[in-house]
Amino acid sequence: MDRFARVVLGYHGCSARFADSILGGRLGIDDWKQSENPYDWLGRGIYFWEYAPERARVWPKGRATGGVIGAVIQLGRCLDFTDTQFTDLLRTRYEAVARTYREKGAVLPTNRGKARELDCLMINELTRQPDVPGDFFQTARSPFLEGEAAFPGSGILRESHIQIAVIDRQCILGVFRPNLRR
């Protein structure tokens, strides 16, 4: 890991029981299971909201979570979609994967609302490739614009955020219990 890589704070919404286990030291960071759903926006990884503890607290809607884990994350070799070199790399990988699917007569998955199966496939394909600069990515980071307009005519959406998927647990330097509003 690049020792000068950017460090950010991330917040993970989870059950109160899991948060207490991680924060109390009964479970270690190595025990933290990565999400590997085929619809995850940034592929496999442990998901965090960057600098957004309240967003982590209210996620997911409709389920009582009760727990938030704050983490100090060193982004390391980050697949950062706020940088065009990585969106260009993603486009190149998409073209190769789409060609392979066509040759096999297979159909690529699609994105449907918040179920981002195509994005997930492409990011997982990209992070598994040995020809990627730096051999592999340790984290993936992207802004997501979602929700209703903040006010009529606004281009700012109420639920927009930056999300991080930690692929390499070594990037989680430490955890803490955030002080949340109630």
Side-chain angles (χ1 to χ4, degrees):
M1 179 170 8
D2 178 356
R3 66 187 182 111
F4 298 109
R6 184 171 31 163
V7 174
V8 298
L9 297 181
Y11 297 89
H12 179 82
C14 57
S15 71
R17 184 178 192 183
F18 181 75
D20 289 342
S21 293
I22 289 282
L23 296 168
R26 291 181 299 284
L27 285 176
I29 291 171
D30 287 340
D31 298 316
W32 205 330
K33 184 179 175 227
Q34 289 187 334
S35 181
E36 295 187 5
N37 298 308
Y39 53 79
D40 288 332
W41 297 12
L42 292 175
R44 71 185 182 288
I46 301 168
Y47 278 72
F48 294 89
W49 276 273
E50 184 175 315
Y51 297 109
E54 289 299 318
R55 182 66 193 251
R57 184 180 66 79
V58 299
W59 181 91
K61 293 177 184 169
R63 284 195 266 172
T65 58
V68 175
I69 300 170
V72 179
I73 302 166
Q74 187 169 23
L75 294 176
R77 288 182 299 278
C78 183
L79 182 59
D80 189 342
F81 294 117
T82 64
D83 186 329
T84 58
Q85 73 172 314
F86 298 113
T87 54
D88 290 346
L89 189 60
L90 185 61
R91 180 186 207 71
T92 300
R93 180 60 62 201
Y94 169 80
E95 291 166 357
V97 170
R99 185 173 40 256
T100 300
Y101 267 67
R102 277 192 307 273
E103 289 168 359
K104 292 180 178 181
V107 178
L108 279 169
T110 58
N111 291 336
R112 293 179 316 276
K114 292 184 180 184
R116 306 286 285 272
E117 292 183 24
L118 179 59
D119 290 343
C120 182
L121 170 70
M122 297 317 307
I123 293 169
N124 283 339
E125 286 290 324
L126 185 58
T127 59
R128 290 185 183 124
Q129 299 303 316
D131 59 339
V132 172
D135 296 329
F136 69 96
F137 290 103
Q138 295 172 292
T139 59
R141 177 178 181 270
S142 186
F144 290 99
L145 306 178
E146 72 175 326
E148 297 176 6
F151 55 87
S154 177
I156 299 169
L157 303 180
R158 294 188 62 215
E159 295 179 26
S160 295
H161 58 282
I162 294 177
Q163 198 157 35
I164 298 167
V166 174
I167 301 162
D168 180 354
R169 289 176 184 84
Q170 290 183 17
C171 292
I172 301 173
L173 303 180
V175 295
F176 61 93
R177 185 177 306 278
N179 185 10
L180 299 172
R181 297 185 310 226
R182 289 287 176 180

